[in-house]
Amino acid sequence: MRMALTLAAQGQGYVEPNPMVGCVLVKKDRVVSTGWHRKFGSDHAEIDALREAGADARGATMYVTLEPCCHHGKTPPCSDAVIAAGVHRVVVADCDPFSLVDGRGIKQLKEAGIEVVVGILQNEAAQLNAPYHMLVTGKRPWVIAKWAMTLDGKIATRTLNSQWVSSTASRRLVHQLRGRVDAILIGRATAVVDDPQLTARPAGPRQAIRIIADSLAGLPLQSQLVQSAREVPVLVFTGPKASVDNCRQLTVAGCEVFGVDADNPKDRLNQILEELGRRQITNLLVEGGGEILGSLFDRNWIDEAHVFIAPKLVGGADAITPISGNGLDSMQIAQQLQEVVVQNLDGDIYVSGRLRRLQ
């Protein structure tokens, strides 16, 4: 099963909004084939492994990281193929929460006389596909917060200068993050001050939609985002007071403009996440600014954090910090990262991990 999980992880950035799945077929204590879901719309892991195994699949044990599907989607049901191949036993790490599966695949295999074991390395499998689980059950994207800051916790000076806080090595890793997510979100202030491209350079397996939370539709037409909107999608979320003329100009320039009607900025952010969930956005990278990250933090909507800490000091009470909002009242309830990874990137300290869910 560990081998299957390693195989599954190779699909990251290629298979979303599908889950990452790996599969290993074993017969007489020998691995006869392996497979994984390689790309959205292509064969699932079970089919990939069964094809390689051929006749050796009959009587074999299948180790698969997620319950085999039992419905017609982009591809036919995997459960039918497993039964037809004569697999003797299926070991499943985690059940699929998708409503058209959700235990039905396992039930079909059992009814066909196949022995099924469920729960082997279930936690590891669930962690691997946590973004998929969030999309299916939470109806919103998995939110990945990213920021670079100085040793004294500033993401920009008091004059809003931020280029560059982090090292070249850190920025290279950020481009890798951008290349595997579905969308990247920033606020209008960040778009105006930094004038970013928000593209992965070099390109990764995915081309992220660039999203701007811009309540008044004031994104400058001369910005790099707008100027490149016909090459790389730009989605501008506006509020109820947005200028109709500004919206029209952004649309003419190639941006998609989507209005949300909530008056409160935090409620608008909720509507943004709901809409992205409807669009099957699985992984959302949020690159700032502090108001957006603060609103997400206050609502307990940050799932994962990637922080680059540069050995620099800028000082200043008015210098910008990464997370605004209300914050927490007590250090005793500070959100704790889990699965923490710490690396040295050309002098920067890179810390990543997932946030524990507050009850």
Side-chain angles (χ1 to χ4, degrees):
M1 190 62 79
R2 292 195 187 282
M3 183 187 296
L5 286 166
T6 300
L7 290 165
Q10 295 183 69
Q12 186 178 57
Y14 295 92
V15 304
E16 293 84 358
N18 282 354
M20 292 174 277
V21 183
C23 183
V24 177
L25 280 169
V26 176
K27 191 173 184 179
K28 297 180 180 178
D29 296 325
R30 180 178 66 88
V31 173
V32 296
S33 70
T34 60
W36 72 94
H37 188 27
R38 299 167 188 261
K39 187 177 180 180
F40 178 72
S42 69
D43 287 337
H44 290 184
E46 299 93 323
I47 307 302
D48 195 31
L50 288 171
R51 182 188 303 108
E52 181 183 319
D56 280 339
R58 185 162 298 279
T61 294
M62 172 179 284
Y63 294 85
V64 63
T65 58
L66 192 70
E67 175 183 3
C69 69
C70 54
H71 67 287
H72 284 271
K74 292 283 184 181
T75 59
C78 291
S79 55
D80 289 351
V82 172
I83 294 168
V87 172
H88 171 70
R89 181 170 176 257
V90 177
V91 182
V92 178
D94 195 21
C95 295
D96 190 340
F98 184 53
S99 60
L100 295 180
V101 186
D102 195 20
R104 293 178 179 85
I106 290 170
K107 181 181 178 182
Q108 184 181 355
L109 296 177
K110 288 181 176 179
E111 289 176 347
I114 297 175
E115 179 188 352
V116 181
V117 178
V118 181
I120 304 302
L121 299 185
Q122 182 175 16
N123 288 340
E124 290 87 340
Q127 286 296 318
L128 178 68
N129 276 317
Y132 169 74
H133 281 265
M134 179 61 72
L135 183 63
V136 171
T137 62
K139 307 300 182 185
R140 69 161 176 85
W142 180 261
V143 175
I144 304 168
K146 166 264 162 184
W147 66 87
M149 67 182 186
T150 60
L151 199 58
D152 53 342
K154 313 297 184 181
I155 62 173
T157 68
R158 59 183 173 82
T159 63
L160 304 182
N161 179 262
S162 64
Q163 297 181 351
W164 295 100
V165 173
S166 58
S167 67
T168 300
S170 293
R171 297 198 297 276
R172 188 180 303 121
L173 197 151
V174 170
H175 283 285
Q176 293 175 14
L177 278 172
R178 288 178 177 175
R180 69 166 179 83
V181 299
D182 303 290
I184 303 167
L185 170 66
I186 61 172
R188 186 191 63 82
T190 300
V192 171
V193 173
D194 292 348
D195 192 23
Q197 297 180 57
L198 299 184
T199 54
R201 302 182 296 277
R206 303 188 83 76
Q207 179 176 276
I209 300 170
R210 300 170 299 170
I211 302 173
I212 318 302
D214 183 4
S215 59
L216 299 179
L219 182 65
L221 297 177
Q222 67 272 20
S223 66
Q224 293 193 86
L225 289 165
V226 176
Q227 290 295 311
S228 60
R230 297 194 186 281
E231 288 76 47
V232 182
V234 173
L235 172 57
V236 182
F237 281 99
T238 62
K241 297 179 181 179
S243 162
V244 173
D245 187 55
N246 286 358
C247 291
R248 181 189 61 79
Q249 291 184 59
L250 288 170
T251 301
V252 169
C255 300
E256 179 185 357
V257 177
F258 189 98
V260 293
D261 56 15
D263 291 322
N264 183 289
K266 290 185 177 180
D267 291 335
R268 285 201 293 272
L269 190 55
N270 182 37
Q271 291 181 329
I272 289 172
L273 291 183
E274 288 178 348
E275 176 60 24
L276 295 180
R278 283 190 286 270
R279 295 180 184 222
Q280 296 289 286
I281 299 297
T282 306
N283 289 287
L284 173 66
L285 179 63
V286 183
E287 296 203 24
E291 291 299 325
I292 285 182
L293 287 172
S295 294
L296 289 167
F297 181 81
D298 287 344
R299 297 290 183 94
N300 196 29
W301 287 338
I302 295 178
D303 302 298
E304 186 175 324
H306 294 258
V307 183
F308 303 84
I309 307 168
K312 302 174 182 178
L313 299 169
V314 297
D318 295 328
I320 311 301
T321 56
I323 299 180
S324 300
N326 296 323
L328 300 174
D329 295 331
S330 168
M331 192 60 68
Q332 281 66 46
I333 59 172
Q335 290 219 30
Q336 181 76 35
L337 285 185
Q338 55 188 349
E339 302 174 54
V340 178
V341 176
V342 181
Q343 300 178 42
N344 187 313
L345 294 176
D346 197 20
D348 290 353
I349 302 301
Y350 167 51
V351 181
S352 63
R354 292 179 172 183
L355 274 72
R356 295 185 188 277
R357 300 256 61 85
L358 292 178
Q359 301 301 318

